[in-house]
């Protein structure tokens, strides 16, 4: 199975020849990422939560697969091979691959002028394109996140420079989501994903692509994606109630009150 993830560029430096050398985290371990069911062969599921265990990410075979990988601008339509390398490769990673806490860090050289300009203009996130198999064993991650499947046999294929990665901003040039872009989703798919939010933990629900159009905004003093997810039935955990979760519950109460008041107002 071929999937994509995302991370962020940390440091960069121009060489005398005009190339750009980059040091970046390109993979993350012990995290749960959300994919559309159609991405992972489960079209009957609106979303699938996939766990990437540390022993898989930091295995010697997986770590070695990050060395000497092509770097692309965006994800190519097919996996990179000798057949299309000339057309899609804009640089490459070197043999320096290291563990950096919960991340894998590599050094890369970008040789293409357009890709270098994109990075210097602010395109700083990275998305790993890789092959793996999915072990459909559900469980809970060390951080307490529920998941539906586990990634096994992870092998890097390429590293893409992207606008927005899936693994989070820590992966900036950081991993781009292979999930279907929201404008490309049918109304039925959007509704199915909204329906799946009911009962889902708030953090996982808020990460779904149906909330990308409000991400970065604030509603009732909290992130808009969380506010909307609560409105669709996401569950605010009762354990470890922090400021963000307290705001989420207060926002929910306010939303119910607002709806009730609006319903009573004369038209």
């Amino acid at each position: 199975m071929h999937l994509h993830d995302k991370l962020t560029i940390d440091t960069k430096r121009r060489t005398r020849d005009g190339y750009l050398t980059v040091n970046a985290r390109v993979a993350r371990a012990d995290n749960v990422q959300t994919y559309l069911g159609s991405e992972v062969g489960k079209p009957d599921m609106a979303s699938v939560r996939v766990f990437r265990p540390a022993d898989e990410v930091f295995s010697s075979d997986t770590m070695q697969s990050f060395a000497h990988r092509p770097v692309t601008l965006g994800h190519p339509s097919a996996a990179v091979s000798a057949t299309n390398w000339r057309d899609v490769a804009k640089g490459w990673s070197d043999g320096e691959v290291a563990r950096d806490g919960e991340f894998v860090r590599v050094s890369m050289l970008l040789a293409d002028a357009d890709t270098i300009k994109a990075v210097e203009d602010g395109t700083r996130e990275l998305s790993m394109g890789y092959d793996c198999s999915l072990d459909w064993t559900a469980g809970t991650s060390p951080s307490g996140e529920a998941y539906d499947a586990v990634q096994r046999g992870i092998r890097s294929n390429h590293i893409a420079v992207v606008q927005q990665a899936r693994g989070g901003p820590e992966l900036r040039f950081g991993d781009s989501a292979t999930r279907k872009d929201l404008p490309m989703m049918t109304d039925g798919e959007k509704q199915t994903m909204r329906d799946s939010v009911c009962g889902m933990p708030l953090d996982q629900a808020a990460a779904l692509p149906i909330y990308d159009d409000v991400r970065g905004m604030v509603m009732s003093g909290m992130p808009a994606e969380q506010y909307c997810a609560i409105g669709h039935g996401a569950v605010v955990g009762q354990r470890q109630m922090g400021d963000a979760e307290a705001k989420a519950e207060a926002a929910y109460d306010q939303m119910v009150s607002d709806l009730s008041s609006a319903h009573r107002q004369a038209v």
Side-chain angles (χ1 to χ4, degrees), residues 127-145:
S127 178
M128 177 179 66
Y130 58 97
D131 296 302
C132 69
S133 60
L134 290 184
D135 172 3
W136 291 94
T137 302
T140 305
S141 73
S143 63
E145 295 180 88

Side-chain angles (χ1 to χ4, degrees), residues 22-104:
V22 168
N23 191 269
R25 296 164 166 176
V26 294
R28 187 178 186 178
D30 279 344
N31 62 318
V32 176
Q33 295 183 167
T34 303
Y35 296 83
L36 291 176
S38 57
E39 288 184 84
V40 293
K42 293 286 186 178
D44 55 312
M45 300 175 67
S47 60
V48 176
R49 293 162 294 187
V50 179
F51 176 54
R52 187 186 297 163
D55 58 352
E56 292 287 344
V57 173
F58 300 125
S59 72
S60 59
D61 288 341
T62 297
M63 293 282 281
Q64 289 172 16
S65 76
F66 285 100
H68 310 298
R69 293 291 90 195
V71 178
T72 64
L73 182 59
H75 283 292
S77 58
V80 181
S81 66
T83 304
N84 63 356
W85 190 95
R86 182 192 297 269
D87 298 322
V88 301
K90 310 301 181 182
W92 52 88
S93 64
D94 63 20
E96 193 175 316
V97 181
R99 178 172 181 172
D100 178 8
E102 62 182 347
F103 299 95
V104 174

